[in-house]
Coordinates of all heavy atoms in Angstrom, one line a residue:
M265 N 77.2 18.1 45.9 CA 78.2 19.0 45.4 C 77.8 19.4 44.0 O 78.2 20.4 43.5 CB 79.6 18.5 45.5 CG 80.7 19.4 45.2 SD 81.0 20.3 46.7 CE 82.6 21.0 46.4
N266 N 77.0 18.6 43.3 CA 76.6 18.9 41.9 C 75.7 20.1 41.9 O 75.5 20.8 40.8 CB 76.0 17.7 41.3 CG 77.0 16.6 41.0 OD1 78.2 16.9 40.9 ND2 76.5 15.4 40.9
A267 N 75.0 20.4 43.0 CA 74.0 21.6 43.0 C 74.8 22.9 43.0 O 74.2 23.9 42.7 CB 73.1 21.4 44.1
L268 N 76.0 22.9 43.4 CA 76.8 24.1 43.6 C 77.5 24.4 42.2 O 77.8 23.5 41.4 CB 77.9 23.9 44.6 CG 77.4 23.7 46.1 CD1 78.5 23.4 47.0 CD2 76.6 24.8 46.6
P269 N 77.8 25.7 42.0 CA 78.5 26.1 40.8 C 79.9 25.4 40.8 O 80.5 25.1 41.8 CB 78.6 27.6 40.9 CG 77.7 28.0 41.9 CD 77.4 26.8 42.8
S270 N 80.5 25.3 39.6 CA 81.8 24.6 39.5 C 82.9 25.4 40.2 O 83.9 24.8 40.7 CB 82.2 24.4 38.1 OG 82.3 25.6 37.4
Q271 N 82.7 26.7 40.3 CA 83.7 27.5 41.0 C 83.8 27.3 42.5 O 84.8 27.7 43.2 CB 83.5 29.0 40.7 CG 83.6 29.4 39.3 CD 82.3 29.3 38.6 OE1 81.3 28.7 39.0 NE2 82.2 29.8 37.4
S272 N 82.7 26.8 43.1 CA 82.7 26.6 44.5 C 83.7 25.6 45.0 O 84.2 25.8 46.1 CB 81.3 26.1 44.9 OG 81.0 24.9 44.4
R273 N 84.1 24.7 44.2 CA 85.2 23.8 44.6 C 86.5 24.6 44.8 O 87.3 24.3 45.7 CB 85.4 22.7 43.5 CG 84.3 21.7 43.5 CD 84.5 20.5 42.6 NE 83.4 19.7 42.5 CZ 82.7 19.4 41.5 NH1 83.0 19.9 40.3 NH2 81.7 18.6 41.5
F274 N 86.8 25.5 43.9 CA 87.9 26.3 43.9 C 87.9 27.2 45.2 O 88.9 27.3 46.0 CB 88.0 27.3 42.7 CG 89.1 28.2 42.7 CD1 90.4 27.8 42.6 CD2 88.9 29.6 42.8 CE1 91.5 28.7 42.6 CE2 89.9 30.5 42.8 CZ 91.2 30.1 42.7
I275 N 86.8 27.7 45.5 CA 86.7 28.6 46.7 C 86.8 27.7 48.0 O 87.5 28.1 48.9 CB 85.3 29.4 46.7 CG1 85.4 30.4 45.6 CG2 85.1 30.1 48.0 CD1 84.0 31.1 45.3
I276 N 86.1 26.6 48.0 CA 86.2 25.7 49.2 C 87.7 25.2 49.4 O 88.2 25.2 50.5 CB 85.2 24.6 49.1 CG1 83.8 25.1 49.2 CG2 85.5 23.5 50.2 CD1 82.7 24.1 48.8
G277 N 88.3 24.8 48.3 CA 89.7 24.3 48.4 C 90.6 25.4 48.9 O 91.5 25.2 49.7
T278 N 90.4 26.6 48.4 CA 91.3 27.7 48.8 C 91.1 28.1 50.2 O 92.0 28.3 51.0 CB 91.0 29.0 47.9 OG1 91.2 28.7 46.5 CG2 91.8 30.2 48.3
E279 N 89.8 28.0 50.7 CA 89.5 28.3 52.1 C 90.2 27.3 53.0 O 90.7 27.6 54.1 CB 88.0 28.4 52.3 CG 87.6 28.7 53.7 CD 88.1 30.1 54.2 OE1 88.3 31.0 53.4 OE2 88.3 30.2 55.4
A280 N 90.1 26.0 52.6 CA 90.7 25.0 53.4 C 92.2 25.2 53.5 O 92.8 25.0 54.5 CB 90.4 23.6 52.8
C281 N 92.9 25.5 52.3 CA 94.3 25.8 52.3 C 94.7 27.0 53.2 O 95.7 26.9 53.9 CB 94.8 26.0 50.9 SG 94.8 24.5 49.9
E282 N 93.8 28.0 53.2 CA 94.1 29.2 54.0 C 94.0 28.8 55.5 O 94.8 29.3 56.3 CB 93.1 30.3 53.6 CG 93.4 31.0 52.3 CD 92.5 32.1 52.0 OE1 91.6 32.4 52.8 OE2 92.6 32.7 50.9
R283 N 93.0 28.0 55.9 CA 92.9 27.6 57.3 C 94.1 26.8 57.7 O 94.6 27.1 58.8 CB 91.6 26.8 57.5 CG 90.3 27.6 57.4 CD 90.1 28.6 58.5 NE 90.6 29.9 58.1 CZ 90.8 30.9 58.9 NH1 90.7 30.8 60.1 NH2 91.2 32.1 58.4
F284 N 94.5 25.8 56.9 CA 95.7 25.1 57.3 C 96.9 26.0 57.3 O 97.7 25.8 58.2 CB 95.9 24.0 56.2 CG 95.0 22.8 56.4 CD1 94.3 22.4 55.3 CD2 94.9 22.1 57.6 CE1 93.4 21.3 55.4 CE2 94.1 21.0 57.7 CZ 93.3 20.6 56.6
S285 N 97.0 26.9 56.4 CA 98.1 27.8 56.4 C 98.1 28.7 57.7 O 99.1 28.9 58.3 CB 98.0 28.7 55.2 OG 98.9 29.8 55.2
F286 N 97.0 29.2 58.0 CA 96.9 30.1 59.2 C 97.2 29.4 60.5 O 98.1 29.8 61.2 CB 95.5 30.7 59.3 CG 95.2 31.4 60.6 CD1 95.9 32.6 60.9 CD2 94.3 30.9 61.6 CE1 95.7 33.2 62.2 CE2 94.1 31.5 62.8 CZ 94.8 32.7 63.1
Y287 N 96.6 28.2 60.7 CA 96.9 27.5 61.9 C 98.3 26.9 62.0 O 98.9 26.9 63.0 CB 95.9 26.4 62.2 CG 94.5 27.0 62.5 CD1 93.4 26.8 61.7 CD2 94.4 27.7 63.7 CE1 92.2 27.4 62.0 CE2 93.1 28.3 64.0 CZ 92.1 28.1 63.2 OH 90.8 28.7 63.5
G288 N 98.8 26.5 60.8 CA 100.2 26.1 60.8 C 101.2 27.2 61.1 O 102.1 27.1 61.8
M289 N 100.9 28.4 60.5 CA 101.8 29.6 60.7 C 101.7 30.1 62.1 O 102.7 30.4 62.7 CB 101.3 30.7 59.7 CG 102.1 32.0 59.9 SD 103.7 32.0 59.1 CE 103.2 32.0 57.4
K290 N 100.5 30.1 62.6 CA 100.3 30.5 64.0 C 101.0 29.7 65.0 O 101.5 30.1 66.0 CB 98.8 30.6 64.3 CG 98.4 31.2 65.7 CD 97.0 31.2 65.9 CE 96.7 31.5 67.3 NZ 95.3 31.2 67.7
S291 N 101.0 28.4 64.7 CA 101.7 27.4 65.7 C 103.2 27.6 65.7 O 103.8 27.3 66.8 CB 101.3 26.0 65.3 OG 101.8 25.6 64.1
I292 N 103.8 28.0 64.7 CA 105.3 28.1 64.7 C 105.8 29.6 64.7 O 107.0 29.8 64.8 CB 105.9 27.4 63.5 CG1 105.5 28.0 62.2 CG2 105.6 25.9 63.6 CD1 106.2 27.5 61.0
L293 N 104.9 30.5 64.5 CA 105.3 31.9 64.4 C 106.0 32.4 65.7 O 107.0 33.1 65.6 CB 104.1 32.8 64.1 CG 104.4 34.3 63.7 CD1 105.4 34.3 62.5 CD2 103.1 35.0 63.4
M294 N 105.5 32.0 66.8 CA 106.2 32.5 68.1 C 107.6 31.9 68.2 O 108.5 32.7 68.5 CB 105.3 32.0 69.3 CG 105.8 32.5 70.6 SD 105.4 34.3 70.7 CE 105.6 34.5 72.5
L295 N 107.7 30.7 67.8 CA 109.1 30.1 67.8 C 110.0 30.7 66.8 O 111.2 31.0 67.1 CB 109.0 28.6 67.5 CG 108.2 27.7 68.5 CD1 108.1 26.3 68.0 CD2 108.9 27.7 69.9
Y296 N 109.5 31.1 65.7 CA 110.3 31.7 64.6 C 110.7 33.1 65.1 O 111.9 33.5 64.9 CB 109.5 31.8 63.4 CG 110.3 32.4 62.2 CD1 111.2 31.6 61.5 CD2 110.1 33.7 61.8 CE1 111.9 32.2 60.4 CE2 110.8 34.3 60.8 CZ 111.7 33.5 60.1 OH 112.4 34.0 59.1
M297 N 109.8 33.9 65.7 CA 110.1 35.2 66.1 C 111.1 35.2 67.3 O 112.0 36.1 67.3 CB 108.8 36.0 66.5 CG 108.0 36.3 65.3 SD 106.6 37.4 65.7 CE 105.6 36.3 66.7
T298 N 111.0 34.3 68.2 CA 111.9 34.3 69.4 C 113.2 33.6 69.0 O 114.3 34.0 69.5 CB 111.3 33.6 70.6 OG1 110.9 32.3 70.2 CG2 110.1 34.4 71.1
G299 N 113.2 32.6 68.2 CA 114.4 31.8 67.8 C 115.2 32.4 66.7 O 116.4 32.5 66.8
H300 N 114.6 32.8 65.6 CA 115.3 33.3 64.4 C 115.4 34.8 64.4 O 116.4 35.4 64.0 CB 114.7 32.8 63.1 CG 114.8 31.3 63.0 ND1 116.0 30.7 62.7 CD2 113.9 30.3 63.2 CE1 115.8 29.4 62.6 NE2 114.5 29.1 62.9
L301 N 114.3 35.5 64.7 CA 114.3 36.9 64.7 C 114.8 37.6 66.0 O 115.0 38.8 66.0 CB 112.9 37.5 64.3 CG 112.4 37.0 63.0 CD1 110.9 37.6 62.8 CD2 113.2 37.4 61.9
L302 N 115.0 36.7 67.0 CA 115.6 37.1 68.3 C 114.8 38.2 69.0 O 115.3 39.1 69.6 CB 117.1 37.6 68.1 CG 118.0 36.5 67.5 CD1 119.4 37.1 67.3 CD2 118.0 35.2 68.3
M303 N 113.5 38.1 68.8 CA 112.6 39.1 69.5 C 112.4 38.6 71.0 O 112.5 37.4 71.3 CB 111.2 39.1 68.9 CG 111.1 39.7 67.5 SD 109.3 39.6 67.0 CE 109.4 40.6 65.6
S304 N 112.2 39.6 71.9 CA 111.9 39.2 73.2 C 110.5 38.5 73.3 O 109.7 38.7 72.3 CB 111.8 40.4 74.1 OG 110.7 41.2 73.8
E305 N 110.3 37.8 74.3 CA 109.0 37.0 74.4 C 107.8 38.0 74.4 O 106.8 37.7 73.8 CB 109.0 36.2 75.7 CG 107.8 35.3 75.8 CD 108.2 33.8 75.8 OE1 109.3 33.5 75.8 OE2 107.2 33.0 76.0
N306 N 107.9 39.1 75.1 CA 106.8 40.1 75.2 C 106.5 40.7 73.8 O 105.4 40.8 73.4 CB 107.1 41.2 76.2 CG 107.0 40.7 77.6 OD1 106.3 39.7 77.9 ND2 107.7 41.4 78.5
W307 N 107.6 41.1 73.1 CA 107.4 41.7 71.8 C 106.9 40.6 70.8 O 106.0 41.0 70.0 CB 108.8 42.2 71.3 CG 108.7 42.9 70.0 CD1 109.2 42.5 68.8 CD2 108.1 44.2 69.7 NE1 108.9 43.4 67.8 CE2 108.2 44.4 68.4 CE3 107.4 45.1 70.5 CZ2 107.7 45.6 67.8 CZ3 106.9 46.3 69.9 CH2 107.1 46.5 68.6
A308 N 107.3 39.4 70.8 CA 106.8 38.4 70.0 C 105.4 38.1 70.2 O 104.6 37.9 69.3 CB 107.7 37.1 70.1
T309 N 105.0 38.1 71.5 CA 103.6 37.8 71.9 C 102.7 38.9 71.3 O 101.6 38.7 70.8 CB 103.4 37.7 73.4 OG1 104.2 36.6 73.9 CG2 102.0 37.5 73.8
S310 N 103.1 40.2 71.5 CA 102.4 41.3 70.9 C 102.3 41.2 69.4 O 101.2 41.4 68.8 CB 103.0 42.6 71.3 OG 103.1 42.8 72.7
T311 N 103.3 40.9 68.7 CA 103.3 40.7 67.3 C 102.4 39.6 66.9 O 101.7 39.7 65.9 CB 104.8 40.5 66.8 OG1 105.6 41.5 67.2 CG2 104.8 40.4 65.3
L312 N 102.4 38.5 67.6 CA 101.5 37.4 67.3 C 100.0 37.8 67.4 O 99.2 37.5 66.6 CB 101.8 36.2 68.2 CG 101.0 35.0 68.0 CD1 101.3 34.4 66.6 CD2 101.2 33.9 69.0
H313 N 99.7 38.6 68.5 CA 98.3 39.0 68.6 C 97.9 40.0 67.5 O 96.8 40.0 67.1 CB 98.2 39.6 70.0 CG 98.2 38.6 71.1 ND1 97.4 37.6 71.2 CD2 99.0 38.6 72.2 CE1 97.6 36.9 72.3 NE2 98.6 37.4 72.9
I314 N 98.9 40.8 67.1 CA 98.6 41.7 66.0 C 98.3 40.9 64.7 O 97.4 41.2 63.9 CB 99.7 42.8 65.8 CG1 99.7 43.7 67.0 CG2 99.6 43.5 64.5 CD1 100.9 44.6 67.0
F315 N 99.2 39.9 64.5 CA 99.0 39.0 63.3 C 97.6 38.4 63.3 O 96.9 38.4 62.3 CB 100.1 38.0 63.3 CG 99.9 36.9 62.3 CD1 100.1 37.1 61.0 CD2 99.4 35.6 62.7 CE1 99.9 36.1 60.0 CE2 99.2 34.6 61.8 CZ 99.5 34.8 60.4
V316 N 97.2 37.8 64.5 CA 95.9 37.2 64.6 C 94.8 38.2 64.4 O 93.8 37.9 63.7 CB 95.7 36.4 65.9 CG1 94.3 35.9 66.1 CG2 96.7 35.3 66.0
G317 N 94.9 39.4 65.0 CA 93.9 40.4 64.8 C 93.8 40.8 63.3 O 92.6 41.0 62.8
M318 N 94.9 41.0 62.6 CA 94.9 41.4 61.2 C 94.2 40.3 60.4 O 93.6 40.6 59.4 CB 96.3 41.7 60.7 CG 96.8 42.9 61.4 SD 95.8 44.4 61.2 CE 96.1 44.8 59.6
V319 N 94.4 39.0 60.8 CA 93.8 37.9 60.0 C 92.3 38.0 60.0 O 91.6 37.8 59.0 CB 94.3 36.5 60.6 CG1 93.4 35.4 60.1 CG2 95.7 36.3 60.2
Y320 N 91.8 38.5 61.1 CA 90.3 38.6 61.2 C 89.8 40.0 60.7 O 88.6 40.1 60.4 CB 89.8 38.4 62.7 CG 90.0 37.0 63.1 CD1 91.0 36.6 64.0 CD2 89.1 36.0 62.5 CE1 91.1 35.2 64.3 CE2 89.3 34.7 62.9 CZ 90.3 34.3 63.8 OH 90.4 33.0 64.1
L321 N 90.7 41.0 60.6 CA 90.3 42.3 60.1 C 90.5 42.5 58.6 O 89.6 43.1 58.0 CB 91.1 43.4 60.9 CG 90.8 44.8 60.6 CD1 89.4 45.1 61.1 CD2 91.8 45.7 61.2
L322 N 91.5 41.9 58.1 CA 91.8 42.1 56.6 C 90.8 41.5 55.7 O 90.8 42.0 54.5 CB 93.2 41.6 56.3 CG 94.3 42.5 56.8 CD1 95.7 41.9 56.6 CD2 94.2 43.9 56.2
P323 N 90.0 40.5 56.0 CA 88.9 40.1 55.0 C 88.0 41.3 54.6 O 87.4 41.2 53.5 CB 88.2 39.0 55.8 CG 89.2 38.4 56.6 CD 90.0 39.6 57.1
V324 N 87.9 42.3 55.5 CA 87.0 43.4 55.1 C 87.7 44.2 53.9 O 87.1 44.5 52.9 CB 86.8 44.4 56.3 CG1 86.1 45.7 55.8 CG2 86.1 43.7 57.4
A325 N 89.0 44.3 54.0 CA 89.8 44.9 52.8 C 89.7 44.0 51.6 O 89.6 44.5 50.5 CB 91.2 45.2 53.2
G326 N 89.8 42.7 51.8 CA 89.7 41.8 50.7 C 88.4 41.8 50.1 O 88.3 41.7 48.8
A327 N 87.3 42.0 50.8 CA 86.0 42.1 50.3 C 85.8 43.3 49.4 O 85.2 43.3 48.4 CB 84.9 42.1 51.4
W328 N 86.4 44.4 49.9 CA 86.4 45.7 49.1 C 87.1 45.5 47.8 O 86.6 45.9 46.8 CB 86.9 46.8 50.0 CG 86.9 48.1 49.2 CD1 85.8 49.0 49.2 CD2 87.9 48.7 48.4 NE1 86.1 50.0 48.4 CE2 87.4 49.9 47.9 CE3 89.2 48.3 48.1 CZ2 88.2 50.7 47.1 CZ3 90.0 49.1 47.3 CH2 89.4 50.3 46.8
L329 N 88.3 44.9 47.9 CA 89.1 44.6 46.7 C 88.3 43.8 45.7 O 88.3 44.0 44.5 CB 90.4 44.0 47.0 CG 91.5 44.8 47.5 CD1 92.7 44.0 48.0 CD2 92.0 45.8 46.5
A330 N 87.7 42.7 46.2 CA 86.9 41.8 45.4 C 85.7 42.5 44.7 O 85.4 42.3 43.6 CB 86.4 40.6 46.2
D331 N 85.0 43.4 45.5 CA 83.9 44.1 45.0 C 84.2 45.2 44.0 O 83.5 45.5 43.0 CB 83.0 44.6 46.1 CG 82.3 43.5 46.8 OD1 82.2 42.3 46.3 OD2 81.8 43.7 48.0
K332 N 85.2 46.0 44.3 CA 85.5 47.2 43.6 C 86.6 47.2 42.6 O 86.7 48.0 41.7 CB 85.8 48.3 44.6 CG 84.7 48.6 45.6 CD 83.5 49.2 45.0 CE 82.5 49.5 46.1 NZ 81.2 49.8 45.6
V333 N 87.6 46.3 42.8 CA 88.9 46.4 42.0 C 89.1 45.2 41.1 O 89.0 45.3 39.9 CB 90.1 46.6 42.9 CG1 91.4 46.8 42.1 CG2 89.9 47.9 43.8
W334 N 89.4 44.0 41.7 CA 89.8 42.9 41.0 C 88.7 41.9 40.6 O 88.9 41.1 39.7 CB 90.9 42.1 41.7 CG 92.2 42.8 41.9 CD1 92.7 43.7 41.1 CD2 93.1 42.7 43.0 NE1 93.9 44.1 41.6 CE2 94.2 43.5 42.8 CE3 93.0 42.0 44.2 CZ2 95.2 43.6 43.6 CZ3 94.1 42.1 45.1 CH2 95.2 42.9 44.8
G335 N 87.7 41.8 41.4 CA 86.7 40.7 41.2 C 87.0 39.6 42.2 O 88.2 39.5 42.6
R336 N 86.0 38.8 42.4 CA 86.2 37.8 43.5 C 87.3 36.7 43.2 O 88.1 36.4 44.1 CB 84.9 37.2 43.9 CG 84.4 36.1 43.0 CD 83.1 35.6 43.5 NE 82.2 35.8 42.3 CZ 81.0 35.5 42.3 NH1 80.4 34.9 43.3 NH2 80.3 35.6 41.2
Y337 N 87.4 36.2 42.0 CA 88.3 35.1 41.7 C 89.7 35.6 41.6 O 90.7 35.0 42.0 CB 87.9 34.4 40.4 CG 86.5 33.8 40.6 CD1 85.4 34.2 39.8 CD2 86.3 32.8 41.5 CE1 84.2 33.6 40.0 CE2 85.1 32.2 41.7 CZ 84.0 32.6 41.0 OH 82.8 32.1 41.2
K338 N 89.9 36.8 41.0 CA 91.3 37.4 41.0 C 91.8 37.7 42.4 O 92.9 37.6 42.7 CB 91.3 38.6 40.1 CG 91.3 38.3 38.6 CD 91.5 39.5 37.8 CE 91.4 39.2 36.3 NZ 91.6 40.4 35.5
T339 N 90.9 38.2 43.2 CA 91.2 38.5 44.6 C 91.7 37.3 45.3 O 92.7 37.3 46.0 CB 90.1 39.2 45.3 OG1 89.7 40.4 44.6 CG2 90.4 39.6 46.7
I340 N 90.9 36.2 45.2 CA 91.3 34.9 45.8 C 92.7 34.5 45.3 O 93.6 34.1 46.0 CB 90.3 33.8 45.5 CG1 89.0 34.2 46.3 CG2 90.8 32.5 46.0 CD1 87.8 33.3 45.9
L341 N 92.9 34.6 44.0 CA 94.2 34.2 43.4 C 95.3 35.0 43.9 O 96.3 34.5 44.3 CB 94.1 34.2 41.8 CG 95.4 33.9 41.1 CD1 95.7 32.4 41.3 CD2 95.2 34.2 39.6
Y342 N 95.2 36.3 43.8 CA 96.3 37.2 44.2 C 96.6 37.1 45.7 O 97.8 37.0 46.1 CB 96.0 38.7 43.9 CG 95.8 38.9 42.4 CD1 95.0 40.0 42.0 CD2 96.4 38.2 41.5 CE1 94.9 40.3 40.6 CE2 96.3 38.4 40.1 CZ 95.5 39.5 39.7 OH 95.4 39.8 38.4
I343 N 95.6 37.0 46.6 CA 95.9 36.9 48.0 C 96.5 35.5 48.3 O 97.3 35.3 49.2 CB 94.6 37.2 48.8 CG1 94.4 38.7 48.6 CG2 94.8 36.9 50.3 CD1 93.1 39.2 49.3
S344 N 96.0 34.4 47.6 CA 96.6 33.1 47.8 C 98.1 33.1 47.4 O 98.9 32.5 48.0 CB 95.8 32.1 47.0 OG 94.5 32.0 47.4
L345 N 98.4 33.8 46.3 CA 99.8 33.9 45.9 C 100.6 34.7 46.9 O 101.8 34.3 47.2 CB 99.9 34.6 44.5 CG 99.4 33.8 43.3 CD1 99.4 34.6 42.1 CD2 100.2 32.5 43.1
L346 N 100.0 35.7 47.5 CA 100.7 36.4 48.6 C 101.0 35.4 49.8 O 102.1 35.5 50.4 CB 99.9 37.6 49.1 CG 100.5 38.5 50.1 CD1 101.8 39.1 49.6 CD2 99.5 39.5 50.6
Y347 N 100.0 34.6 50.1 CA 100.3 33.5 51.1 C 101.5 32.7 50.8 O 102.3 32.4 51.6 CB 99.0 32.6 51.2 CG 98.1 32.9 52.3 CD1 96.9 33.6 52.0 CD2 98.3 32.6 53.6 CE1 96.0 33.8 53.0 CE2 97.4 32.8 54.6 CZ 96.2 33.5 54.3 OH 95.3 33.7 55.3
C348 N 101.5 32.2 49.5 CA 102.6 31.4 49.1 C 104.0 32.1 49.2 O 105.0 31.5 49.6 CB 102.4 30.9 47.6 SG 101.0 29.8 47.5
V349 N 104.0 33.4 48.9 CA 105.2 34.1 49.0 C 105.7 34.2 50.4 O 106.8 34.0 50.8 CB 105.1 35.5 48.4 CG1 106.2 36.5 48.7 CG2 104.9 35.5 46.9
G350 N 104.7 34.5 51.3 CA 105.0 34.5 52.8 C 105.6 33.2 53.3 O 106.6 33.2 54.0
H351 N 105.0 32.1 52.9 CA 105.5 30.8 53.3 C 106.9 30.5 52.6 O 107.8 29.9 53.2 CB 104.6 29.7 52.9 CG 103.4 29.6 53.9 ND1 103.5 29.3 55.2 CD2 102.1 29.9 53.7 CE1 102.3 29.3 55.7 NE2 101.4 29.7 54.8
G352 N 107.0 31.0 51.4 CA 108.3 30.8 50.7 C 109.5 31.6 51.4 O 110.6 31.1 51.4
V353 N 109.1 32.7 52.0 CA 110.2 33.5 52.7 C 110.6 32.8 54.0 O 111.8 32.7 54.3 CB 109.6 34.9 53.0 CG1 110.5 35.6 54.0 CG2 109.5 35.7 51.7
L354 N 109.6 32.2 54.7 CA 109.9 31.5 55.9 C 110.5 30.1 55.7 O 111.4 29.7 56.5 CB 108.6 31.4 56.8 CG 108.0 32.7 57.3 CD1 106.8 32.4 58.1 CD2 109.0 33.4 58.2
A355 N 110.1 29.4 54.7 CA 110.5 28.0 54.6 C 112.0 27.8 54.4 O 112.6 26.9 55.2 CB 109.8 27.3 53.4
P356 N 112.7 28.5 53.6 CA 114.2 28.1 53.4 C 114.9 28.4 54.7 O 115.8 27.6 55.1 CB 114.6 29.1 52.3 CG 113.4 29.5 51.6 CD 112.3 29.4 52.6
R357 N 114.7 29.4 55.4 CA 115.4 29.7 56.6 C 115.0 28.7 57.7 O 115.9 28.2 58.4 CB 115.0 31.1 57.1 CG 115.4 31.5 58.4 CD 116.9 32.0 58.4 NE 117.2 32.4 59.8 CZ 118.4 32.8 60.1 NH1 119.3 32.9 59.2 NH2 118.7 33.1 61.3
T358 N 113.8 28.3 57.8 CA 113.3 27.4 58.8 C 113.8 26.0 58.5 O 114.3 25.3 59.4 CB 111.8 27.4 58.9 OG1 111.4 28.7 59.1 CG2 111.3 26.5 60.1
C359 N 113.8 25.6 57.3 CA 114.2 24.2 56.9 C 115.7 24.1 57.0 O 116.2 23.0 57.2 CB 113.7 23.9 55.5 SG 112.0 23.7 55.4
S360 N 116.5 25.1 56.7 CA 118.0 24.9 56.7 C 118.6 24.9 58.0 O 119.6 24.4 58.2 CB 118.6 26.0 55.8 OG 118.4 27.3 56.4
T361 N 118.0 25.5 59.0 CA 118.5 25.6 60.4 C 118.7 24.3 61.0 O 119.8 24.0 61.5 CB 117.7 26.5 61.3 OG1 117.6 27.8 60.6 CG2 118.3 26.7 62.6
P362 N 117.7 23.4 61.0 CA 118.0 22.0 61.6 C 119.1 21.3 60.9 O 119.8 20.5 61.5 CB 116.6 21.3 61.5 CG 115.6 22.4 61.4 CD 116.3 23.5 60.7
L363 N 119.2 21.4 59.6 CA 120.2 20.7 58.8 C 121.6 21.2 59.2 O 122.5 20.5 59.4 CB 120.0 20.9 57.3 CG 118.7 20.3 56.8 CD1 118.6 20.7 55.3 CD2 118.7 18.8 57.0
R364 N 121.8 22.5 59.4 CA 123.0 23.1 59.8 C 123.4 22.6 61.2 O 124.5 22.3 61.5 CB 123.0 24.6 59.8 CG 123.3 25.1 58.4 CD 123.5 26.6 58.3 NE 122.1 27.1 58.1 CZ 121.7 28.3 58.5 NH1 122.4 29.1 59.1 NH2 120.5 28.7 58.2
R365 N 122.4 22.6 62.1 CA 122.7 22.2 63.5 C 123.1 20.7 63.5 O 124.0 20.3 64.3 CB 121.4 22.4 64.4 CG 121.2 23.8 64.7 CD 120.0 23.9 65.7 NE 119.7 25.3 65.8 CZ 118.5 25.8 66.2 NH1 117.5 25.0 66.4 NH2 118.3 27.1 66.3
A366 N 122.4 19.9 62.7 CA 122.8 18.4 62.7 C 124.2 18.2 62.1 O 124.9 17.3 62.5 CB 121.7 17.7 61.8
A367 N 124.5 19.0 61.1 CA 125.9 18.9 60.5 C 127.0 19.3 61.4 O 128.1 18.7 61.4 CB 125.9 19.7 59.2
T368 N 126.7 20.3 62.3 CA 127.8 20.7 63.2 C 127.9 19.9 64.5 O 128.8 19.9 65.2 CB 127.6 22.2 63.6 OG1 126.3 22.3 64.2 CG2 127.7 23.1 62.4
S369 N 126.9 19.0 64.8 CA 126.9 18.2 66.0 C 127.8 17.0 65.8 O 128.1 16.5 64.9 CB 125.5 17.7 66.3 OG 124.6 18.9 66.5

């Protein structure tokens, strides 16, 4: 690891966090859409496939932003913050529901 630039640790760590984030989100997204957003199973499945497709398509837009607008490190930072905001929106609703169900039981 000493042969790599010091910034590579940041990029590798961010990539690992993004992978954990993606697979964690993907595993519960269907349940969230059908249980909390009350989507039909067909609509939720279509939305999940669009989400997965966009995950593989949007790096092209990210590469353009990195090359032309923000630079690679700012792009990684800003998009990582967007990930955090997305999880922050889902977490309070998801975490509070089991607590409310347990309190009413």
